[in-house]
Amino acid sequence: MPYDTQPKASHFIDGAYVEDTEGTPIDVIYSATGEKIAQVHAATPAIVEQAIAAAKRAQPEWAAMSGTERGRILRRAADILRERNHDLSVLETYDTGKPYQETSVADATSGADALEYFGGMAATLTGEHIQLGENWVYTRREPLGVCVGIGAWNYPTQIACWKGAPALACGNAMIFKPSETTPLSALKVAEILHEAGLPAGLYNVVQGMGEVGSALVTDPRVDKVSLTGSVPTGRKVYAAAAEGIKHVTMELGGKSPLIVFEDADIENAIGGAILGNFYSSGQVCSNGTRVFVHRDIKEKFLSRLAERLDKAVIGDPMDPDTSFGPMVSERQMQIALDYVEKGKAEGARLAYGGARIDRDGFYMQPTVFADVTDDMVIAREEIFGPVMAVLDFEDEEEVIARANDTEFGLAAGVFTNDLTRAHRVAARFEAGTCYINTYNDAPVEAPFGGSKNSGVGRENSKAAIEHYSQLKSVFVRMDDVEAPF
Ligand code: NAD
């Protein structure tokens, strides 16, 4: 292993690396080779206690600092992330298996964007003044207290920053639990935040499986939980948070529609469908995996799509030319391959790929099914792998109804050159994040999140501030108090 992927210790608490080997060992596997590249230990109850106690202790002093001071530290951390982009991208590639071609432009960089954006915003957070005759009310925007972030394995650095940056900007402390599949990158985020001047105890990382997440969520000292994960986990975490009337952000799964009308620029539409199905080997929550293509252009779409998929460079994720890497784990690859079998059994036409690739690691081919119908399992369930379902349609009314006929509502996209149709369709999508003639952009300036079962709350943008702070109203009377007796 040319890189030292073994972290100094499993957890980062109160400004320092902490180990407790009593915790269940978690092996970190490089999915391009199947080899073990590191080991961490799940947090024991003692480690969870240390993290919560440190966060609880450190938070009030942080909240008492000015927004300008808090923001400066976050922006400094953003600069360090960018300076170390190469090393962080290599680590992210080892952690997830995603190609360096992607990690070098999408992970530490988007984390840095969030730290820079919310760092800049920290100084602008204010309440308002409400005049009531000669009396008045003012509002104070206050932090929530101790926030818990729980991550998925597909974007470990980005998720650690998307949750940490707004939480810290608002004056909260954060305890972040990465996915047990990808425990490495969040530790680097913690290290860098402290190097940038973050006081100890404000950004802590603890490792572990669902039980550790659950221990954090149910602790009465925790005020907010932000989860990125699947809908079934979201249901459990939301229910546990409700027990303590805690604030929540839920970034959950999807089965998003992407509609390609007959007048669309077909190369752009195929580009959108490729980004929305095969980037990160299809392991992106907002992917447009139900691609509705107008019947008139379907065969052309499929043949050009196949030509472009032939150009995918599948191989060593560290090679900068590689554009399609392995799945994150053997398990995730097996789940996706099982869906391929289900698609075949249901009578969908396998138009491209469909098999495991014969090499070390957990690689499968980019896969396209055509002639998929709405009732097929591959059109209803989130696969979270490189499996695109192409469905035919004929008219706008019909396709909107079918696009919305799902429990999920994370994202949706439309490709058309008809301006009014584009906006009409976007307005009718039942989804939190919509795209016109593009797919899967996620700039920090724009709200990101889902409706229906795909989530609650929004990450990024000014909207995230609402989910990491609360308003206090202060009534001020200038005249006398009129009491009945
Ligand atoms: P997952 O639901 O299996 O796990 C997510 C996290 O929750 C992990 O850290 C896990 O340890 C933790 N967890 C599990 N049970 C828990 C419990 N009872 N209490 C507290 N924490 C618990 O998801 P995954 O397999 O890691 O990630 C894939 C899923 O995440 C997909 O469904 C995908 O769509 C979704 N996702 C959503 C977004 C988004 O922004 N909406 C982004 C990325 C991934």
Side-chain angles (χ1 to χ4, degrees):
M1 184 63 43
Y3 249 77
D4 189 10
T5 39
Q6 178 62 42
K8 285 182 205 142
S10 300
H11 319 285
F12 192 97
I13 298 173
D14 215 359
Y17 275 98
V18 178
E19 190 54 270
D20 181 352
T21 52
E22 292 292 303
T24 312
I26 300 172
D27 288 345
V28 187
I29 306 296
Y30 182 35
S31 62
T33 60
E35 68 187 307
K36 178 175 156 182
I37 55 164
Q39 187 185 65
V40 295
H41 292 267
T44 55
I47 287 287
V48 170
E49 176 56 35
Q50 265 187 52
I52 297 176
K56 188 81 189 155
R57 188 209 70 240
Q59 188 269 329
E61 225 172 290
W62 176 244
M65 280 166 66
S66 75
T68 309
E69 289 171 300
R70 289 200 300 269
R72 193 177 302 135
I73 292 169
L74 300 187
R75 286 184 290 108
R76 211 179 283 143
D79 290 343
I80 303 176
L81 245 84
R82 288 213 178 87
E83 277 158 25
R84 300 199 190 143
N85 184 44
H86 171 73
D87 285 0
L88 293 168
S89 304
V90 169
L91 186 70
E92 182 87 347
T93 289
Y94 279 124
D95 216 7
T96 60
K98 293 190 293 180
Y100 177 82
Q101 192 185 92
E102 288 187 16
T103 55
S104 56
V105 296
D107 292 280
T109 53
S110 72
D113 285 353
L115 288 161
E116 188 170 14
Y117 179 87
F118 289 106
M121 193 172 269
T124 72
L125 303 176
T126 56
E128 61 178 341
H129 168 100
I130 304 154
Q131 196 69 41
L132 298 167
E134 65 181 63
N135 301 318
W136 42 284
V137 175
Y138 65 92
T139 61
R140 291 164 52 90
R141 185 167 287 284
E142 297 188 343
L144 301 174
V146 175
C147 301
V148 163
I150 301 177
W153 41 256
N154 56 346
Y155 281 83
T157 305
Q158 182 184 84
I159 295 171
C161 294
W162 280 18
K163 297 187 190 310
L168 293 171
C170 291
N172 301 286
M174 163 70 57
I175 303 167
F176 186 77
K177 189 200 84 65
S179 163
E180 57 273 33
T181 311
T182 53
L184 304 180
S185 309
L187 291 167
K188 288 286 171 200
V189 172
E191 228 182 87
I192 287 171
L193 277 163
H194 287 83
E195 203 178 319
L198 188 73
L202 291 165
Y203 191 95
N204 308 282
V205 175
V206 298
Q207 309 291 352
M209 280 70 86
E211 304 87 79
V212 173
S214 176
L216 290 166
V217 174
T218 49
D219 192 284
R221 291 165 290 179
V222 168
D223 302 287
K224 192 224 155 89
V225 181
S226 177
L227 168 77
T228 298
S230 61
V231 173
T233 303
R235 278 207 181 87
K236 283 187 224 158
V237 173
Y238 201 174
E243 197 61 39
I245 323 283
K246 295 177 203 287
H247 298 253
V248 294
T249 299
M250 294 280 143
E251 291 289 351
L252 308 177
K255 187 77 190 177
S256 300
L258 172 55
I259 303 176
V260 183
F261 282 96
E262 66 280 16
D263 65 348
D265 178 312
I266 198 156
E267 289 302 321
N268 281 337
I270 291 167
I274 287 173
L275 286 176
N277 281 271
F278 303 119
Y279 199 74
S280 299
S281 296
Q283 304 164 116
V284 180
C285 52
S286 47
N287 271 356
T289 45
R290 288 184 295 142
V291 184
F292 292 91
V293 182
H294 194 278
R295 207 177 288 277
D296 290 353
I297 57 164
K298 177 182 102 174
E299 290 309 328
K300 187 172 171 210
F301 180 94
L302 287 170
S303 64
R304 270 300 290 150
L305 174 63
E307 283 168 15
R308 287 181 59 175
L309 289 176
D310 283 343
K311 298 204 175 87
V313 179
I314 303 174
D316 174 3
M318 290 301 171
D319 181 338
D321 290 332
T322 297
S323 56
F324 186 88
M327 310 278 301
V328 74
S329 63
E330 187 161 20
R331 180 171 171 268
Q332 196 59 30
M333 178 190 68
Q334 205 46 60
I335 290 172
L337 289 170
D338 288 349
Y339 274 108
V340 172
E341 291 312 311
K342 284 180 201 159
K344 287 190 210 159
E346 284 177 312
R349 167 161 63 102
L350 185 61
Y352 197 91
R356 182 171 184 175
I357 296 172
D358 185 19
R359 56 175 292 153
D360 284 347
F362 315 126
Y363 288 81
M364 71 176 277
Q365 296 171 314
T367 298
V368 180
F369 278 107
D371 304 333
V372 176
T373 54
D374 298 339
D375 53 336
M376 290 180 183
V377 171
I378 56 166
R380 303 214 67 80
E381 296 181 8
E382 182 183 49
I383 298 175
F384 223 59
V387 183
M388 180 195 294
V390 177
L391 305 96
D392 309 350
F393 77 94
E394 261 165 21
D395 80 67
E396 187 180 316
E397 260 324 290
E398 165 219 338
V399 77
I400 291 172
R402 291 169 60 202
N404 286 335
D405 182 20
T406 166
E407 63 166 312
F408 300 108
L410 185 53
V414 55
F415 277 83
T416 176
N417 276 329
D418 179 335
L419 183 71
T420 51
R421 177 158 63 188
H423 295 288
R424 195 166 59 229
V425 170
R428 292 185 64 191
F429 275 142
E430 295 172 2
T433 310
C434 296
Y435 302 100
I436 294 174
N437 292 339
T438 183
Y439 206 82
N440 262 356
D441 311 56
V444 68
E445 296 87 347
F448 182 87
S451 57
K452 294 157 83 175
N453 284 354
S454 291
V456 176
R458 292 292 176 267
E459 295 199 304
N460 289 343
S461 79
K462 287 182 274 187
I465 297 298
E466 298 299 327
H467 301 289
Y468 283 100
S469 62
Q470 56 194 335
L471 286 178
K472 176 187 279 175
S473 297
V474 182
F475 289 77
V476 182
R477 182 168 290 283
M478 305 295 283
D479 53 8
D480 293 332
V481 173
E482 273 183 40
F485 50 84

